[in-house]
């Protein structure tokens, strides 16, 4: 299956995009995700498949280039890191409002403001709760390995087109910068113009006499029309919640306590689990892979069987709100986090479990 | 088998590439690997370090606070990582520029005067490979034939002519490493 490489997470995203048949990448450099565009510029897919790789003049320009490309039915993506993704929020809201498929990769760094260039998970609220205006969601994947960084590019494009919605890969500086083994899927060709028309009958890419105009917009001055759009969006989000949830459970069968963590934090928790089990503490890991839709039913059921949960995040407590809403308040649910680019160590995580949950 | 290694020194000493070659060699013998660099300010002139894990099993955290082996190439890294070696673990250091030698009694300590030797014989570009050679003499976690394959993968093809020099450096490093304190 595919090809085995040792790659950085950022490089894996770029290579996976080429192999997925992506039509266009638009971005603006920012640490710690600059390798995405650097890799594409070295590989020069514009000379082989015709994929556009363009350094825009800003993140605002890049996200609006996505809007234009997606409006014609093309597979388009961008990547950035936290401050750059903040600049993109208006465009993301417009993509959601106009029901356009697009892939946005956020290699999160510490904030707020310009913050730091070290890894963080402090953009969870922004990604999951709608960082832009209006009632919208993106489907948000939280990869925990370089392999998943590559996998969620193809999967992300697939669901973006299935639901006509922007999709985000919410990663962090550590997974972007680290190298691991990755199996890359065999490349697929970009869609032809005819195939794009067949896949996206809604797209604005030249009107044959057989149909009316396809208009791509998020504006409807008639409130009744705008409410209809909102109802369509909400119905879509409910369907996504029913069908697109992904999660991983490790050693939860006999567990008395549970770590809940996404992305890099989940990897650190796995090490903390080994340390805990060496001491005879039965702890398991619940890892949401999609953070929207959140695996609320699965985590609620797990909450009925254990004595407590420690939510470990590289932020001040964001996903814990979704865990608490899902599980209720029958068991203690506490948070352990480090901020501003500091990565918690497995020792610290185990100590937090012992102090806040077991002894708490 | 799981080997958790920190390699630390100045930017420009080849710390990151030493880790990369080790990781690629692990891939070549079908093991799981992770390579987690310090990045950012460190790349711009200060200290650089990389955590490399080579394992037969799925790797959990790519970020660690305790290591089986620390390979230390400057004083700042000695201050930071001497205490991060697991009891019974291994510390390898190049004494060049070290003002405070390691003091722990519960770990194995070896020194390798690779910087001096490399400049003496005019191979300073492959100084890092001498250090890697020393490490592999003590812990042969990857086979030399896989190091060669790893070099082929991690070096751009215009540099493949340097592979024999790198292999020579590994051999020199294996002879150069000396015990300081052995349990």
């Amino acid at each position: 299956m595919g090809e085995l490489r040792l790659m950085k997470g950022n490089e894996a995203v770029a290579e996976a995009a080429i192999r997925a048949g992506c039509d266009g990448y638009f971005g603006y450099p920012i640490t710690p995700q600059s390798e995405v565009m650097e890799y594409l510029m070295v590989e020069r897919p514009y000379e082989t498949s015709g994929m556009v790789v363009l350094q825009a003049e800003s993140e605002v320009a890049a996200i609006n280039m996505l809007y234009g490309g997606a409006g014609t039915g093309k597979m388009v993506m961008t990547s950035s890191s936290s401050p750059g993704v903040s600049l993109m929020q208006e465009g993301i809201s417009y993509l959601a409002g106009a029901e356009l498929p697009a892939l946005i990769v956020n290699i999160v760094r510490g904030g707020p403001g310009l913050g730091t260039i070290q890894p963080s998970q402090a953009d969870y609220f922004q990604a999951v709760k709608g960082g832009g205006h209006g009632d919208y969601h993106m489907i948000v994947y939280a990869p925990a390995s370089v392999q998943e960084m590559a996998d969620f590019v193809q999967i992300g494009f697939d669901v973006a087109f299935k639901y006509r919605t922007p999709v985000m890969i919410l990663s962090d500086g550590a997974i972007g910068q680290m190298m691991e083994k990755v199996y890359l899927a065999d490349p697929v060709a970009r869609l032809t113009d005819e195939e794009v028309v067949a896949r996206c009958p809604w797209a604005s890419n030249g009107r044959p006499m057989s149909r009316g105009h396809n208009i791509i917009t998020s504006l409807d001055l008639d409130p009744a029309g705008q409410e209809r759009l909102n109802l369509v969006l909400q119905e879509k989000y409910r369907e996504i919640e029913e069908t697109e949830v992904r999660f991983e459970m490790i050693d939860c069968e006999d567990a008395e306590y549970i770590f809940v963590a996404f992305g890099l934090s989940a990897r650190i928790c796995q090490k903390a689990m080994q340390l805990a089990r060496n001491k005879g503490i039965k702890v398991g890991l619940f890892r949401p892979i999609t953070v929207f839709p959140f695996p609320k039913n699965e985590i609620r059921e797990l909450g009925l069987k254990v004595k407590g949960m420690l939510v470990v995040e590289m932020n001040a407590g964001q996903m814990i709100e979704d865990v608490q809403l899902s599980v209720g308040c029958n068991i203690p649910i506490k948070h352990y986090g480090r901020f501003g680019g500091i990565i918690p160590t497995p020792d610290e995580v185990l100590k937090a479990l012992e102090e806040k949950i077991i002894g708490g | 088998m799981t080997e958790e290694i920190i390699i630390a020194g100045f930017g420009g000493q080849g710390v990151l590439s030493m880790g990369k070659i080790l990781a690629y060699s692990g891939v070549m013998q079908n093991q799981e690997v992770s390579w987690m660099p310090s990045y950012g300010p460190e790349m711009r002139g200060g200290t650089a370090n990389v955590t490399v894990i080579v394992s037969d099993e799925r790797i959990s955290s790519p970020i660690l606070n305790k290591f089986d082996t620390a390979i230390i190439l400057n004083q700042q890294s000695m201050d930071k990582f001497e205490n991060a070696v697991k009891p019974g673990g291994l510390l390898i250091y190049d004494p060049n520029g070290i003002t405070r030698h390691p003091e722990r009694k519960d770990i194995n300590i070896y020194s390798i005067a690779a910087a001096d030797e490399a400049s003496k014989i005019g191979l300073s570009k492959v100084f890092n490979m001498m250090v890697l050679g020393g490490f592999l003499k003590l812990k042969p976690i990857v086979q030399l034939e896989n190091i060669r394959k790893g070099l082929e993968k991690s070096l751009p093809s215009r540099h493949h002519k340097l592979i024999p020099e790198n292999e020579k450096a590994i051999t020199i490093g294996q002879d150069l490493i000396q015990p300081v304190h052995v349990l």
Side-chain angles (χ1 to χ4, degrees):
Chain A
M1 84 184 203
E3 184 188 346
L4 173 65
R5 297 251 199 108
L6 180 71
M7 296 181 108
K8 287 188 169 195
N10 287 337
E11 296 168 342
V13 163
E15 178 63 33
I18 297 172
R19 286 171 182 248
C22 179
D23 294 304
Y25 171 92
F26 308 88
Y28 188 81
I30 181 170
T31 307
Q33 69 76 51
S34 296
E35 290 85 356
V36 179
M37 194 169 13
E38 280 173 20
Y39 186 93
L40 290 169
M41 291 292 186
V42 169
E43 291 297 309
R44 297 170 173 265
Y46 36 88
E47 290 178 357
T48 49
S49 75
M51 173 185 172
V52 172
V53 182
L54 195 147
Q55 178 172 333
E57 68 269 35
S58 71
E59 289 87 348
V60 176
I63 195 72
N64 285 294
M65 289 173 183
L66 253 64
Y67 186 97
T72 67
K74 296 289 186 183
M75 282 172 67
V76 289
M77 70 178 288
T78 187
S79 63
S80 189
S81 181
S82 307
V85 177
S86 290
L87 285 169
M88 292 181 181
Q89 291 304 319
E90 181 197 44
I92 293 172
S93 172
Y94 278 47
L95 285 163
E99 298 197 82
L100 292 178
L103 182 64
I104 299 139
V105 181
N106 186 359
I107 307 295
V108 180
R109 61 190 242 181
L114 216 43
T116 170
I117 58 175
Q118 302 300 323
S120 165
Q121 296 181 320
D123 295 0
Y124 179 92
F125 280 153
Q126 185 195 59
V128 170
K129 308 294 179 188
H133 57 281
D135 270 322
Y136 78 92
H137 284 289
M138 289 182 284
I139 300 174
V140 184
Y141 294 98
S145 63
V146 174
Q147 183 67 55
E148 286 188 344
M149 290 284 271
D151 293 345
F152 290 141
V153 170
Q154 178 69 65
I155 292 168
F157 276 127
D158 288 346
V159 296
F161 277 86
K162 180 178 175 189
Y163 297 100
R164 289 181 59 188
T165 185
V167 170
M168 177 171 276
I169 295 177
L170 181 70
S171 186
D172 67 72
I175 292 175
Q177 292 293 327
M178 77 178 181
M179 288 200 295
E180 289 185 313
K181 270 183 1 183
V182 53
Y183 290 92
L184 295 161
D186 292 330
V188 295
R190 289 174 51 231
L191 296 189
T192 63
D193 288 349
E194 294 73 29
E195 287 167 332
V196 169
V197 169
R199 171 155 82 165
C200 307
W202 46 265
S204 176
N205 47 16
R207 183 174 76 90
M209 297 309 286
S210 54
R211 67 161 166 81
H213 294 284
N214 281 346
I215 298 170
I216 305 295
T217 183
S218 64
L219 174 72
D220 193 337
L221 290 176
D222 170 20
Q226 191 61 29
E227 186 176 53
R228 273 197 300 279
L229 170 69
N230 269 273
L231 290 170
V232 167
L233 291 179
Q234 290 306 314
E235 196 178 327
K236 174 156 74 181
Y237 301 142
R238 297 297 86 76
E239 188 188 342
I240 287 168
E241 285 181 318
E242 275 173 29
T243 51
E244 299 302 332
V245 169
R246 287 173 188 249
F247 61 95
E248 183 183 23
M249 292 202 280
I250 300 175
D251 291 347
C252 289
E253 299 77 25
D254 67 338
E256 296 181 345
Y257 306 98
I258 297 290
F259 289 130
V260 187
F262 68 98
L264 181 69
S265 293
R267 297 282 294 271
I268 294 159
C269 285
Q270 280 175 55
K271 186 78 182 177
M273 276 168 59
Q274 293 166 9
L275 301 175
R277 287 195 172 251
N278 288 344
K279 293 174 86 173
I281 303 168
K282 287 183 182 167
V283 56
L285 171 69
F286 187 92
R287 176 170 78 94
I289 296 173
T290 50
V291 282
F292 183 86
F294 193 74
K296 45 191 170 189
N297 295 330
E298 294 76 11
I299 201 165
R300 178 168 58 235
E301 282 170 30
L302 193 56
L304 298 172
K305 294 190 279 191
V306 299
K307 293 180 184 168
M309 294 185 175
L310 185 72
V311 184
V312 181
E313 306 174 74
M314 298 190 306
N315 62 41
Q318 300 191 16
M319 185 178 70
I320 187 173
E321 293 190 1
D322 286 324
V323 177
Q324 286 169 327
L325 278 170
S326 305
V327 176
C329 42
N330 297 325
I331 54 169
I333 298 171
K334 296 283 168 61
H335 182 262
Y336 182 72
R338 296 294 301 266
F339 332 118
I342 301 284
I343 301 170
T345 65
D347 284 352
E348 271 173 52
V349 170
L350 174 57
K351 189 162 168 252
L353 176 74
E354 290 176 316
E355 288 177 0
K356 293 185 174 209
I357 301 289
I358 299 174
Chain B
M1 188 283 295
T2 297
E3 180 73 12
E4 298 170 336
I5 307 159
I6 179 95
I7 310 171
F10 288 118
Q13 279 180 316
V15 163
L16 299 187
S17 56
M18 192 196 322
K20 194 171 166 183
I21 291 159
L22 191 55
Y24 250 122
S25 311
V27 172
M28 291 303 126
Q29 51 191 44
N30 206 23
Q31 283 170 305
E32 299 301 318
V33 301
S34 78
W35 175 94
M36 178 72 228
S38 59
Y39 66 94
E42 294 95 334
M43 285 167 65
R44 293 160 179 106
T47 59
N49 67 70
V50 60
T51 301
V52 177
I53 307 173
V54 181
S55 179
D56 297 328
E57 291 160 26
R58 177 175 163 178
I59 292 166
S60 57
S61 176
I63 296 176
L64 301 165
N65 52 339
K66 292 275 185 270
F67 302 93
D68 299 307
T69 298
I71 299 174
I72 292 175
L73 303 176
N74 66 8
Q75 185 58 50
Q76 288 95 319
S77 303
M78 183 70 80
D79 297 340
K80 199 167 170 186
F81 293 114
E82 182 184 356
N83 285 324
V85 180
K86 293 177 193 171
L90 172 64
L91 187 157
I92 296 172
Y93 73 105
D94 188 321
N96 182 44
I98 294 290
T99 49
R100 188 192 61 75
H101 289 254
E103 288 155 0
R104 282 182 57 184
K105 296 293 170 224
D106 61 337
I107 58 173
N108 293 300
I109 299 171
Y110 286 76
S111 76
I112 180 162
D116 283 352
E117 182 69 16
S119 65
K120 203 188 301 172
I121 60 175
L123 281 179
S124 49
K125 266 194 272 183
V126 289
F127 149 78
N128 58 343
M129 298 304 287
M130 287 190 188
V131 178
L132 182 61
F135 165 71
L136 289 174
K137 186 184 180 190
L138 302 176
K139 289 196 175 176
I141 56 167
V142 290
Q143 290 158 8
L144 288 183
E145 66 186 70
N146 290 322
I147 289 274
R148 186 189 175 88
K149 287 186 200 162
L151 281 164
E152 282 170 5
K153 278 277 188 181
S154 60
L155 290 175
S157 50
R158 67 182 188 279
H159 288 151
H160 279 187
K161 59 180 187 293
L162 301 173
I163 289 177
E165 209 166 83
N166 279 270
E167 289 180 311
K168 187 179 161 197
I170 290 175
T171 315
I172 294 171
Q174 288 179 320
D175 294 335
L176 212 55
I177 194 153
Q178 297 294 332
V180 174
H181 172 264
V182 180
L183 294 173

